[in-house]
Amino acid sequence: MALPSLLALPGRLRRLLSLFPFRFSFLLLILGLLSSPLARAQNYSPEQRQWLAQHPEIRVGATEMPNLLMRDFRSGSYSGLSVDMLKLYEQRLGVRFQIVYYGSLEDMHDGIRNREVDLLFAAVHTPGRETYLSFPKPYAELETKIIVRQETLGTGPLTLDQLEGRKVAVLAGSALEDRLRREYPGLHLAPSRDELSALTKLAFSEVDAAVTDLGRVTYYVQKEGLVNLAVGGNTGINYAFTFGVRGDWPELTALMDQTAAAIPAQEKEQVLQRWLRVGNAGPWNNPNFWWVAGGLLTLVAAALGVILFWNRTLRQEVATRTAQLDAQMAELLEVDRDLRESEARFRDLAELSYDWYWEQDENCRFTMMSGGAFQKGRLPLEQYLGKTRWELPLLGVTPEQMTAHRAQQEAHLPFRDFTYQIVAGDGEIHWYVSNGRPVFDERGQFRGYRGTGQDITARMRTQQALIDSEQRIRGLLDSTFSFVGLMDPQGTLLEANRTSLEFAGAAKEEVVGRPFWDTPWWDRDSDSRETLRQAVARARQGETVRFAASHRTAQGILHWIDVSITPVRDEHGRVIYLIPEGRDVTEMRRTQEALRALVENTATVYGEAFLDSLVQHVATLFDVAYAFVGEVDPDGCHIRTLSSWTHGAPSTNFAYALDGTPCQVMLGSGPTLFPRGITELFPDNRALKEMKAESYMGAPITGNGGKILGLLVVIDDKPLPEASGYLPIISLFALRAGMEMERMAQERAMRSLNQELERRVAERTDQLAVANKELEAFSYSVSHDLRAPLRHVSGFVSLLEADADNRLSEASRRYLNIITEAANRMGDLIDGLLAFSRIGRAEVHKTPVDLNKLLQEVIDDLAQEPRAPAVDWAIGSLPQVLADRTLIRQVLANLVGNALKYSRKRERAQIHIAAESGEHEGRPEWVIRIADNGVGFNMKYVGKLFGVFQRLHGAADFEGTGIGLANVRRVVERHGGRTWAEAEPDRGATFYFSLPRDE
């Protein structure tokens, strides 16, 4: 009964009672019976009452679950604890619960997710169900009991610990079995396929006890007549059941909780006792007994009450009749006021809802529409009034649908959700939905229809947008080459795209609804299934997981899949979905393996040995009879093989013309595969016929700049797989062959260049040998031919001095001294020139030299000279170098001697010698520094220092020939080093030389 009708009922009853006073007592009794739930419903808020009025019928999803709900399939009726509880709620809410039966629990939950039903008759609160259900407070808690035979009952309650060592029946595969095995290992469990089997075993003494919940025990004990069973004790394990409300109806959840609080505890207890009691056998244990007995007692009590009340009423009727007539006018006024209030409430309800109200006459023609039809639905009322629905210009309805709707109305049946389109008053096409009920008068005569309508254009457009969006997403997913799906957090597959289904060779209905690891992708690989289980468990905790898994097809072909599982969270951070994605990386792995084999088997060989190894491993990898590497001749029309392989062994190289061969096609178009029928494709190629060739595959070998160098070819006498992915692999081998062929060409060019260089070096060596001989002859000539005149000059000067005795003047003697000194100086110059020449020709013999020891020898020798000054030495640590010891000693002697000589005029000479490591032009070196505090020199003339016979100071001041520093530079350069100097006049000089540093 709708909410407005309930509120208007008291005033109408009072008016009827005033008109029929003799039936007052009987009607008052009925009113008392009806007003009890109504009174209890007065605590609902106006919003709750409005919501109940808008939802007079609530669909309840149900499935078989003793003792909560059972269905009689012959009569279609339902019974059970949940059914009785729903009746208590129905009486107080004023709604009708319509049970919709499902064959399984899973189907029932799918029904509420799809909004086929609004309420589940029983649900256990789990986190996974919070996404689509809300849960009122539990209405029943089913205890798990220890059931025994009555003759074994003891004086006190049993516990599970007391059953240790006994046989106990339990439901096989249940959570209860798992918990008992884990927590009570001493029990001898006897798993049974269902509770009836377990209780039957107990009844016939096959086991000592059974453990199950009280609801099922009650059901099977009463149904099967197992009267020798009784409850022996509690396990402490309970299951709380509640109604499950669709997630978008929080109003109903609140109403259920509020109604539950209003139901008296004794009524709930009566329901629980009716369905959850196990004890002595007898008719009082059967719920039908109490229904019949209660009904009879109620009828007897009602009859007695009516009789007593009727007698009392007759005695009082004469006295009250006059008062009733006086009050009749007041009652009529009250009825009128109630009617106006009811109409106002109905009008407010209609105006505040999204619906509008309409009526039809007995010919199903529209006679009235409320103002909301124009205001909310933009309906052109002139098109509706006076017409039937099938006479209107409706769109979006097929002739078959309209025929069925017309038959429904002509049969005077109620209808719901009749959906259609029409051009509205704003000129746009709108969607509408209509619900209607037939109207009958008190004689049962059909008087027409009344109902509601609603503009659902926005909803339909939203639905269409969702459909379009889903189609776009589906198209996107189905167009990708990756395997993409959708799972719930437990790993049950909800969706799979076309690519993944085609890969598995399975239909969508074969995989959806199954655990991901139990789908055809993994049914041939137990390791991959276990890996997937663990990955789903990690992803359920919020981790993105990626791993490699294998898949073997029905034909035995192994594929490798790169799998990732990504969690999807809601606004609260909870994982609500998992997205599995996979890519077939078999070809990538095959290419990697080929590359690894290529690197491992050819890494240590070069040139022709590399090509021989290449064709061998290519033939082995592809399992073919023939393989060869060929080089394109300069004419571009012939191929000359560099290495070939035939039937498992190396073969003789050969040459052939390109014209009319598959090689010609391949060189023009790139990597090519002819999987079968190669002889038929090239019938004029005699070589292919001789090889009995069936398939051909090849790739051009290119060098830098894309120049074609040759080709790599495999040929076999059996077909090659078309979709094998071989072409990328052979192209990879061809790329490596191109690198090696270019290196071989460069090596040949290098050998030719080396031969030319060797020839030129030999020529230059011969020329240098001639020059050295000429230089030696010149040195000999200088040493003998120039020294002879000097000896003559010196000899005759000595004779002249002796012969003349004291007859020469002082001037003459001075002249003779000048001649002698010039001759001696000339001899020194000749000696220096010969030394410079010898240094340039001398062979350098490098050995490890300790510069510290060598320097000390030089200092000791220089200290013996008579003109050596007093010296303050500052000598750092010098390195050990690889050099010619004699030549480097001469370098140190020249540089340290110069430092002493040019510091002679100082009171004390200060000489600093040190070494440091460095680099010059990327080469490591040692730099030795020798600094003094002598006369120095002008850096303007530093370029002359290391030249032959170059001096920056006069011979009168400092002796010398000007050849020492030239010798220093020549020795250092022959060791691969450098020389340079820095100075200031009268502030000393610093000389540097470097030698290569051995790393």
Side-chain angles (χ1 to χ4, degrees):
M1 183 175 293
L3 185 60
S5 299
L6 286 173
L7 294 176
L9 183 61
R12 292 171 183 167
L13 283 176
R14 284 192 296 271
R15 186 180 61 181
L16 292 173
L17 292 176
S18 66
L19 297 176
F20 301 98
F22 295 103
R23 294 175 176 83
F24 173 76
S25 300
F26 182 72
L27 292 177
L28 186 60
L29 175 63
I30 296 176
L31 180 61
L33 295 175
L34 292 177
S35 62
S36 178
L38 181 63
R40 285 189 289 268
Q42 300 305 309
N43 293 327
Y44 298 138
S45 67
E47 292 79 9
Q48 288 177 321
R49 295 173 184 173
Q50 180 180 350
W51 192 93
L52 288 170
Q54 293 172 347
H55 303 86
E57 182 176 285
I58 296 175
R59 299 162 297 178
V60 181
T63 189
E64 189 81 14
M65 189 180 291
N67 222 4
L68 298 179
L69 185 142
M70 291 81 68
R71 182 185 184 189
D72 188 338
F73 287 92
R74 290 174 298 178
S75 64
S77 61
Y78 297 92
S79 62
L81 170 61
S82 298
V83 176
D84 286 358
M85 284 293 181
L86 281 172
K87 289 178 181 178
L88 296 179
Y89 283 84
E90 189 177 52
Q91 293 169 4
R92 287 158 175 81
L93 290 171
V95 298
R96 180 173 178 267
F97 289 116
Q98 176 65 42
I99 294 181
V100 179
Y101 188 79
Y102 290 93
S104 69
L105 188 66
E106 183 179 12
D107 290 344
M108 184 179 73
H109 279 272
D110 286 341
I112 199 164
R113 276 194 290 260
N114 298 331
R115 300 296 184 256
E116 297 170 1
V117 294
D118 312 312
L119 183 74
L120 298 186
F121 81 104
V124 177
H125 192 161
T126 65
R129 293 174 178 174
E130 291 179 352
T131 59
Y132 59 91
L133 284 177
S134 61
F135 299 91
K137 295 179 181 178
Y139 60 82
E141 185 171 356
L142 301 187
E143 300 176 330
T144 303
K145 300 290 187 178
I146 301 173
I147 310 302
V148 297
R149 294 183 299 280
Q150 288 187 359
E151 65 269 17
T152 63
L153 277 174
T155 57
L158 281 172
T159 65
L160 289 173
D161 292 327
Q162 294 172 339
L163 295 177
E164 183 173 357
R166 300 186 186 181
K167 292 182 65 177
V168 178
V170 68
L171 181 62
S174 65
L176 181 60
E177 179 192 9
D178 179 69
R179 182 168 178 178
L180 292 177
R181 290 190 185 279
R182 185 174 63 253
E183 298 181 5
Y184 299 93
L187 299 180
H188 295 324
L189 296 182
S192 303
R193 67 178 183 273
D194 53 37
E195 286 84 352
L196 178 60
S197 175
L199 295 174
T200 303
K201 289 180 181 179
L202 176 62
F204 289 93
S205 303
E206 296 181 20
V207 296
D208 300 313
V211 177
T212 184
D213 69 82
L214 184 59
R216 289 177 176 83
V217 173
T218 304
Y219 176 75
Y220 286 118
V221 165
Q222 296 174 357
K223 180 179 180 181
E224 303 298 331
L226 303 176
V227 296
N228 64 332
L229 301 184
V231 176
N234 294 325
T235 65
I237 303 172
N238 301 335
Y239 297 99
F241 283 90
T242 181
F243 294 112
V245 181
R246 51 189 279 187
D248 60 338
W249 278 14
E251 301 89 349
L252 182 56
T253 305
L255 284 166
M256 298 289 283
D257 282 336
Q258 187 173 341
T259 304
I263 298 175
Q266 61 271 22
E267 292 189 31
K268 296 180 184 177
E269 186 62 27
Q270 288 173 3
V271 174
L272 294 175
Q273 289 296 323
R274 184 180 306 129
W275 295 102
L276 305 179
R277 180 171 59 186
V278 177
N280 297 327
W284 47 86
N285 290 321
N286 191 327
N288 294 329
F289 170 81
W290 291 105
W291 279 105
V292 173
L296 291 175
L297 291 174
T298 301
L299 289 176
V300 171
L304 290 175
V306 168
I307 291 172
L308 294 175
F309 193 76
W310 183 264
N311 289 333
R312 183 180 179 182
T313 302
L314 289 177
R315 287 193 301 268
Q316 295 177 350
E317 187 170 353
V318 174
T320 58
R321 176 58 176 165
T322 302
Q324 290 176 356
L325 291 174
D326 294 337
Q328 183 174 3
M329 183 59 67
E331 290 287 342
L332 290 176
L333 293 175
E334 185 177 355
V335 168
D336 184 65
R337 186 189 62 191
D338 290 343
L339 287 176
R340 286 197 302 271
E341 291 180 356
S342 177
E343 289 174 359
R345 284 193 294 269
F346 177 78
R347 187 183 308 107
D348 291 342
L349 179 64
E351 293 300 325
L352 293 174
S353 72
Y354 290 102
D355 297 344
W356 56 83
Y357 180 75
W358 55 262
E359 291 183 359
Q360 292 176 339
D361 61 15
E362 60 273 13
N363 295 317
C364 299
R365 299 183 183 278
F366 286 99
T367 58
M368 189 274 287
M369 280 193 174
S370 66
F374 176 76
Q375 297 171 358
K376 305 171 187 177
R378 303 294 185 266
L379 280 177
L381 301 183
E382 65 279 0
Q383 293 185 15
Y384 272 75
L385 297 179
K387 297 179 182 178
T388 62
R389 190 172 281 107
W390 46 88
E391 293 174 341
L392 298 174
L394 304 185
L395 305 173
V397 182
T398 65
E400 294 77 12
Q401 291 173 327
M402 182 55 74
T403 300
H405 176 67
R406 180 173 181 177
Q408 196 174 20
Q409 281 205 263
E410 290 177 346
H412 307 158
L413 297 174
F415 62 88
R416 291 184 62 84
D417 299 332
F418 179 72
T419 306
Y420 59 95
Q421 294 172 293
I422 199 168
V423 178
D426 56 6
E428 299 289 336
I429 296 178
H430 283 232
W431 283 92
Y432 301 98
V433 64
S434 184
N435 303 310
R437 289 183 181 275
V439 178
F440 300 93
D441 60 16
E442 62 275 7
R443 298 187 303 274
Q445 186 70 28
F446 174 68
R447 289 303 184 188
Y449 271 89
R450 56 172 170 249
T452 60
Q454 188 182 77
D455 187 339
I456 59 171
T457 304
R459 185 201 311 170
M460 295 301 292
R461 287 174 180 170
T462 301
Q463 290 178 357
Q464 187 61 45
L466 289 174
I467 293 172
D468 294 342
S469 176
E470 182 178 355
Q471 289 176 346
R472 287 195 295 270
I473 295 173
R474 170 62 62 181
L476 180 63
L477 292 177
D478 287 342
S479 64
T480 180
F481 292 103
S482 297
F483 312 140
V484 183
L486 183 67
M487 298 186 296
D488 65 14
Q490 284 69 43
T492 302
L493 195 65
L494 305 176
E495 279 291 344
N497 72 335
R498 183 170 55 198
T499 304
S500 59
L501 294 173
E502 291 175 351
F503 179 77
K508 187 174 181 179
E509 55 270 15
E510 296 180 54
V511 298
V512 170
R514 296 174 59 181
F516 190 33
W517 48 84
D518 286 338
T519 54
W521 289 288
W522 321 109
D523 55 4
R524 296 179 180 86
D525 195 325
S526 58
D527 291 340
S528 293
R529 289 201 300 272
E530 183 58 32
T531 301
L532 283 169
R533 284 192 187 95
Q534 297 175 7
V536 168
R538 290 166 58 192
R540 187 164 52 242
Q541 302 303 317
E543 178 183 355
T544 298
V545 187
R546 184 174 181 179
F547 57 94
S550 60
H551 166 73
R552 191 173 297 278
T553 65
Q555 295 75 28
I557 301 175
L558 181 66
H559 289 263
W560 284 95
I561 312 297
D562 179 19
V563 182
S564 64
I565 300 179
T566 305
V568 178
R569 303 175 183 271
D570 62 11
E571 64 274 11
H572 304 295
R574 294 175 297 190
V575 175
I576 56 174
Y577 294 110
L578 303 176
I579 298 178
E581 183 178 3
R583 293 185 298 114
D584 188 351
V585 295
T586 306
E587 301 303 333
M588 183 187 303
R589 287 177 67 102
R590 186 176 296 163
T591 302
Q592 291 173 349
E593 290 297 323
L595 179 60
R596 182 187 58 79
L598 174 65
V599 171
E600 289 180 355
N601 296 315
T602 61
T604 59
V605 293
Y606 302 95
E608 294 179 356
F610 167 80
L611 297 179
D612 293 340
S613 177
L614 177 65
V615 295
Q616 175 186 352
H617 288 99
V618 167
T620 303
L621 176 65
F622 296 128
D623 189 23
V624 295
Y626 306 94
F628 65 85
V629 173
E631 183 178 39
V632 179
D633 279 351
D635 61 7
C637 299
H638 293 80
I639 292 293
R640 177 175 56 83
T641 63
L642 303 179
S643 183
S644 59
W645 188 267
T646 303
H647 291 294
S651 57
T652 306
N653 286 323
F654 54 92
Y656 62 93
L658 278 170
D659 189 35
T661 65
C663 297
Q664 185 180 36
V665 176
M666 179 263 293
L667 289 176
S669 59
T672 303
L673 169 64
F674 295 103
R676 60 179 56 80
I678 188 66
T679 306
E680 290 77 8
L681 293 173
F682 297 89
D684 298 331
N685 195 305
R686 187 176 63 182
L688 293 176
K689 291 181 180 178
E690 292 175 354
M691 290 187 291
K692 297 181 180 179
E694 176 64 24
S695 56
Y696 166 98
M697 181 170 60
I701 298 174
T702 58
N704 288 332
K707 179 183 178 182
I708 294 180
L709 305 177
L711 44 78
L712 174 61
V713 172
V714 296
I715 301 173
D716 201 18
D717 52 9
K718 61 181 182 298
L720 287 171
E722 288 189 57
S724 61
Y726 285 171
L727 282 179
I729 300 176
I730 198 170
S731 299
L732 184 65
F733 282 118
L735 176 64
R736 178 64 179 87
M739 297 167 60
E740 187 61 25
M741 289 175 67
E742 278 199 329
R743 194 197 64 78
M744 292 170 64
Q746 293 171 357
E747 192 176 69
R748 289 194 296 269
M750 186 66 70
R751 281 199 299 268
S752 176
L753 179 61
N754 287 340
Q755 291 173 358
E756 177 64 20
L757 289 175
E758 288 173 1
R759 184 186 63 78
R760 293 184 180 182
V761 168
E763 291 178 356
R764 293 288 293 171
T765 302
D766 292 341
Q767 293 173 1
L768 288 173
V770 172
N772 283 335
K773 288 180 180 179
E774 292 176 352
L775 185 58
E776 287 177 1
F778 172 74
S779 298
Y780 180 81
S781 175
V782 168
S783 178
H784 292 82
D785 295 346
L786 292 181
R787 284 182 184 274
L790 289 176
R791 284 195 299 269
H792 291 163
V793 170
S794 295
F796 281 110
V797 168
S798 297
L799 290 174
L800 183 59
E801 286 179 341
D803 182 61
D805 195 11
N806 294 323
R807 289 177 292 180
L808 294 176
S809 63
E810 289 296 323
S812 298
R813 290 182 183 278
R814 185 168 57 83
Y815 295 151
L816 289 176
N817 288 335
I818 292 173
I819 292 171
T820 300
E821 290 178 359
N824 291 335
R825 181 172 178 77
M826 183 64 178
D828 291 339
L829 291 174
I830 291 172
D831 291 338
L833 186 61
L834 290 173
F836 183 76
S837 175
R838 283 194 300 272
I839 288 174
R841 300 195 314 273
E843 187 175 355
V844 178
H845 298 283
K846 292 184 178 181
T847 59
V849 177
D850 187 345
L851 293 183
N852 291 295
K853 293 181 179 179
L854 190 60
L855 176 63
Q856 191 60 48
E857 292 177 8
V858 170
I859 291 174
D860 292 343
D861 290 346
L862 293 174
Q864 304 303 319
E865 294 185 1
R867 301 178 66 182
V871 182
D872 292 332
W873 298 95
I875 302 174
S877 177
L878 302 182
Q880 178 173 289
V881 297
L882 191 64
D884 188 304
R885 191 176 192 279
T886 302
L887 296 177
I888 293 301
R889 191 179 193 281
Q890 187 174 347
V891 169
L892 290 175
N894 271 296
L895 294 177
V896 176
N898 281 351
L900 290 170
K901 179 171 61 176
Y902 292 109
S903 302
R904 187 184 301 157
K905 296 181 179 181
R906 303 300 185 193
E907 182 177 349
R908 293 189 68 86
Q910 295 180 357
I911 298 177
H912 300 269
I913 303 174
E916 61 182 13
S917 63
E919 282 191 359
H920 178 68
E921 295 181 351
R923 295 190 298 272
E925 62 180 7
W926 289 107
V927 177
I928 292 86
R929 174 173 54 86
I930 301 173
D932 62 62
N933 63 337
V935 296
F937 59 86
N938 192 332
M939 287 295 291
K940 177 179 179 181
Y941 307 106
V942 72
K944 296 181 178 182
L945 273 180
F946 295 96
V948 180
F949 304 132
Q950 297 292 331
R951 291 175 56 84
L952 301 183
H953 301 279
D957 296 324
F958 300 99
E959 71 277 7
T961 61
I963 204 77
L965 290 180
N967 284 336
V968 168
R969 172 161 283 183
R970 174 162 285 196
V971 170
V972 172
E973 286 180 346
R974 295 198 67 188
H975 280 78
R978 303 177 291 134
T979 56
W980 67 99
E982 298 173 350
E984 290 184 41
D986 202 38
R987 295 180 67 87
T990 303
F991 283 82
Y992 302 88
F993 71 93
S994 68
L995 294 174
R997 175 158 49 95
D998 185 6
E999 294 291 349

